[in-house]
Amino acid sequence: MEKISEKNIENRNLLSEKAGKVWQIRMSVIFVLYTVFSGILFFVLPLLCIVFLSAVVMIYVFMMFYYIPAVMKLVSYRFEKDRVILKKGLFTRREIVVLFSKIQYAVMFEGVIEKRMGLASINILLAGSDVILWELSRDDAAALKKAIDDFLHQPSEELQA
């Protein structure tokens, strides 16, 4: 049985270097959709179209060159023996500690863009809430999910007695 510490995940940042590229691709797709919508709107209300498109371009430039790189530097996931620690936030920093003993189950998923870039995400469901670890490398996500599953399926001391 392969342990997660053998995969060299323990006590290191799990966020993939490709995560920023995924978010930039997503923003570009949204920008193209807004541009198409603005082009359709141009035939009905040309002045509103120009204002709308100007706002979209400013937001796009802000997101691509400031917000996404800043967030990618500030988001980190760390795995320890019995917990996952998530640190995130640009304006307000939060540290979320997820104990394995509180996890009900974990689901690993890949979107179209993530699959092509070798990334995966894990949705960890807790009682009453969930935590999503976005854009981990596929190997790290699989190892982390396996560690969570192994922890959840290990026999408890009460059942052994």
Side-chain angles (χ1 to χ4, degrees), residues 2-159:
E2 186 179 34
K3 293 189 177 185
I4 198 161
S5 60
E6 293 171 10
K7 298 284 280 178
N8 196 19
I9 291 177
E10 203 164 317
N11 293 323
R12 75 175 174 90
N13 186 353
L14 292 176
L15 187 66
S16 174
E17 298 86 23
K18 297 177 185 177
K21 294 291 181 200
V22 170
W23 283 99
Q24 289 176 337
I25 291 169
R26 287 179 183 151
M27 284 303 303
S28 297
V29 168
I30 291 169
F31 177 71
V32 167
L33 291 174
Y34 276 124
T35 304
V36 169
F37 176 72
S38 179
I40 293 168
L41 186 66
F42 183 76
F43 294 108
V44 179
L45 301 166
L47 185 59
L48 182 63
C49 173
I50 293 169
V51 172
F52 179 74
L53 190 57
S54 300
V56 168
V57 168
M58 287 189 294
I59 291 170
Y60 177 76
V61 169
F62 172 77
M63 294 292 281
M64 291 294 280
F65 298 108
Y66 175 72
Y67 184 76
I68 292 173
V71 168
M72 290 299 115
K73 291 178 186 173
L74 296 174
V75 173
S76 67
Y77 311 121
R78 196 175 74 233
F79 172 76
E80 293 181 355
K81 240 187 341 189
D82 62 341
R83 69 189 76 206
V84 176
I85 300 170
L86 164 64
K87 293 182 182 179
K88 65 180 184 176
L90 182 61
F91 301 111
T92 57
R93 297 286 293 156
R94 292 187 302 180
E95 182 174 299
I96 301 167
V97 178
V98 179
L99 298 174
F100 280 3
S101 60
K102 303 294 182 186
I103 296 174
Q104 294 188 346
Y105 66 92
V107 178
M108 187 171 98
F109 60 94
E110 299 171 297
V112 175
I113 299 170
E114 290 88 355
K115 188 175 276 191
R116 294 206 30 98
M117 297 189 82
L119 302 175
S121 299
I122 297 181
N123 186 2
I124 299 174
L125 270 56
L126 308 162
S129 67
D130 67 335
V131 175
I132 299 176
L133 306 177
W134 296 100
E135 277 89 29
L136 306 172
S137 76
R138 190 176 293 136
D139 295 334
D140 287 349
L144 182 56
K145 174 144 179 13
K146 184 175 180 345
I148 291 170
D149 289 344
D150 290 346
F151 185 86
L152 293 176
H153 294 106
Q154 70 184 357
S156 66
E157 293 81 24
E158 295 172 2
L159 295 176

